Amino acid sequence: MNPKRLAILGSTGSIGTQTLDVVRQHPDRFEAFALTAHNSVGKLIEQARQFMPEVVVIANPAHYQELADALADLPIKVFAGEEALCDIVRMAEIDVVVTAMVGFSGLRPTISAIEARKTIALANKETLVVAGQLMTDLALKHRAAILPVDSEHSAIFQSLVGEDGNAIDKILLTSSGGPFRHFTSGQLLSVTCEQALRHPNWQMGAKITIDSATMMNKGFEVIEARWLFDVAPRQIEVYVHPESIVHSAVQFADGAVKAQLGVPDMRLPIQYALSYPQRLPLEGDRLDLFALGQLTFERPDLDRFPCLRLAYEALEKGGNMPCIVNAANEVANLAFRQGQITFPQIAEHIACAMQQVAFVPCPTLADLFTTDAEARQCPLPRS
Ligand code: MG
């Protein structure tokens, strides 16, 4: 069997590097055919020399020369720019496109890959948040499979294997609760970016770690689950589960609940998306329920973590509302990391954008780009 050829978009980020870890463990199964990064040119050079892909792309063209010079002695094709990303994912040799880039920028290359009928290993959840209806319609039309890489959605997906035709009654979406689970509203006023970046269970990129602290990440995952598994928002229930062992669960018509459990390790959902329906060996820690002793669950507090409520509201409202939330969140998340706004102001800014930006009930792709640009113009709250 020939190895599956992967295009890893965002190969230098947290998911990207862990995907390459999986490739390293199974060189007979997977091949890194294309590697791309936005700005991390040094790391991309290092990865290219190690994995010898056919193609590398640096999205920011300012780094093109440095990349091309560093790889001049190797038979690796070097490209730059957003357009190149959309072009390379269409290459005939590629079997699977791993979408591990951050935010709205993932939209165009993912569309391009779906149109080229590639299997999508989806890590860029913002794509489904912004354009869930369009993306799922497009995937259906081109018969492109979208396999989840997000640990919760992978757990749901794994729980659904063998359940063809059995309707989902409810999805139990688990959340660690983030680093501020026990903080009072008063304490949340003065939390710092440094505190927010210390996630208790998962090592992730900066943007998603802040999204986890606000629980906007969980809100996005509710939206992602709605589109991946075709369920209504009210069928998705969030459970705060600080141990991050139950990665999510599905309840069926007879009351049976199936879950996937394991130690928090992103390489498992990444590998499963690549090897599905097969399971391959994976080195790493094993779950020890005796050592854990107990697993705990609590309801999320939507007053202290209003981002989760805003996500549910956006999903119920539909249209371009989730796109507005995503753009406002990208701006506010960055502003918080740069010390321009306080932690509670992230949610304030998003709520404000939801009021200000024009609502479009059935947006086209062009509408979504307009919405995204408009939402990014909303003025930040004063800190
Ligand atoms: Mg997740």
Side-chain angles (χ1 to χ4, degrees):
M1 203 174 66
N2 290 330
K4 278 187 192 170
R5 288 173 165 159
L6 315 181
I8 306 172
L9 310 185
S11 66
T12 58
S14 174
I15 296 292
T17 50
Q18 293 181 86
T19 304
L20 286 172
D21 219 30
V22 170
V23 172
R24 199 181 286 115
Q25 288 199 31
H26 300 285
D28 51 327
R29 299 278 187 156
F30 309 119
E31 181 188 321
F33 185 85
L35 301 178
T36 85
H38 189 252
N39 269 318
S40 303
V41 65
K43 204 160 176 185
L44 186 60
I45 292 166
E46 202 179 295
Q47 291 179 338
R49 300 202 75 90
Q50 192 180 350
F51 288 90
M52 293 296 291
E54 280 284 313
V55 185
V56 295
V57 182
I58 186 85
N60 181 349
H63 300 298
Y64 172 77
Q65 207 52 54
E66 184 184 351
L67 182 61
D69 290 349
L71 301 176
D73 59 322
L74 300 173
I76 299 174
K77 298 183 192 80
V78 180
F79 300 103
E82 303 279 353
E83 274 310 304
L85 285 179
C86 295
D87 292 340
I88 62 113
V89 295
R90 293 173 175 272
M91 291 175 74
E93 295 92 332
I94 292 168
D95 301 302
V96 182
V97 177
V98 181
T99 64
M101 64 293 248
V102 180
F104 187 82
S105 63
L107 197 56
R108 273 195 201 282
T110 308
I111 290 173
S112 182
I114 291 174
E115 284 172 347
R117 302 191 171 199
K118 305 301 183 189
T119 295
I120 309 293
L122 185 109
N124 175 246
K125 69 190 82 184
E126 292 92 336
T127 304
L128 284 183
V129 171
V130 167
Q133 183 83 63
L134 287 174
M135 301 305 278
T136 46
D137 286 353
L138 199 67
L140 206 62
K141 182 179 159 197
H142 294 284
R143 287 191 227 101
I146 301 180
L147 303 177
V149 166
D150 213 346
S151 60
E152 294 79 358
H153 304 76
S154 177
I156 296 162
F157 182 63
Q158 291 178 59
S159 302
L160 289 170
V161 169
E163 298 289 349
D164 297 350
N166 290 328
I168 296 171
D169 184 43
K170 192 171 91 174
I171 284 175
L172 294 74
L173 187 71
T174 54
S175 161
S176 70
F180 306 137
R181 186 164 56 92
H182 290 306
F183 280 46
T184 64
S185 300
Q187 286 174 310
L188 287 174
L189 276 171
S190 57
V191 296
T192 64
C193 175
E194 198 194 1
Q195 285 173 291
L197 285 175
R198 254 180 260 134
H199 195 277
N201 301 340
W202 298 97
Q203 283 291 325
M204 305 177 287
K207 195 255 177 185
I208 189 174
T209 306
I210 301 299
D211 284 346
S212 295
T214 61
M215 290 193 79
M216 181 45 92
N217 181 55
K218 207 49 56 182
F220 285 167
E221 290 183 353
V222 169
I223 302 176
E224 185 185 8
R226 184 262 171 272
W227 294 112
L228 281 174
F229 306 110
D230 194 22
V231 290
R234 61 180 160 70
Q235 287 176 285
I236 307 165
E237 192 170 12
V238 173
Y239 287 70
V240 173
H241 167 46
E243 295 87 0
S244 295
I245 296 297
V246 177
H247 295 311
S248 280
V250 180
Q251 180 177 297
F252 297 92
D254 57 0
V257 175
K258 284 170 74 178
Q260 184 253 326
L261 283 68
V263 295
D265 182 348
M266 280 309 295
R267 293 173 311 159
L268 190 149
I270 292 168
Q271 177 171 291
Y272 191 71
L274 301 179
S275 69
Y276 169 81
Q278 275 188 293
R279 286 189 187 275
L280 302 177
L282 179 66
E283 287 169 16
D285 295 341
R286 292 296 184 255
L287 180 58
D288 182 349
L289 287 173
F290 290 122
L292 272 163
Q294 60 178 3
L295 300 174
T296 58
F297 302 89
E298 42 189 87
R299 283 183 195 282
D301 183 338
L302 299 184
D303 293 325
R304 285 182 302 132
F305 299 99
C307 285
L308 180 55
R309 184 186 16 237
L310 295 174
Y312 268 104
E313 283 173 19
L315 185 55
E316 287 287 357
K317 180 96 180 171
N320 64 340
M321 198 54 88
C323 177
I324 297 170
V325 170
N326 178 69
N329 179 62
E330 281 190 32
V331 171
N333 178 309
L334 182 64
F336 173 69
R337 276 183 277 153
Q338 293 175 340
Q340 297 172 41
I341 61 172
T342 66
F343 187 80
Q345 284 178 328
I346 298 175
E348 258 173 58
H349 179 66
I350 297 163
C352 195
M354 290 170 78
Q355 300 292 327
Q356 284 178 17
V357 180
F359 179 65
V360 183
C362 296
T364 61
L365 188 61
D367 291 332
L368 293 175
F369 276 88
T370 310
T371 298
D372 180 73
E374 202 184 323
R376 283 170 201 273
Q377 296 307 314
C378 289
L380 285 165
R382 290 172 194 279
S383 63

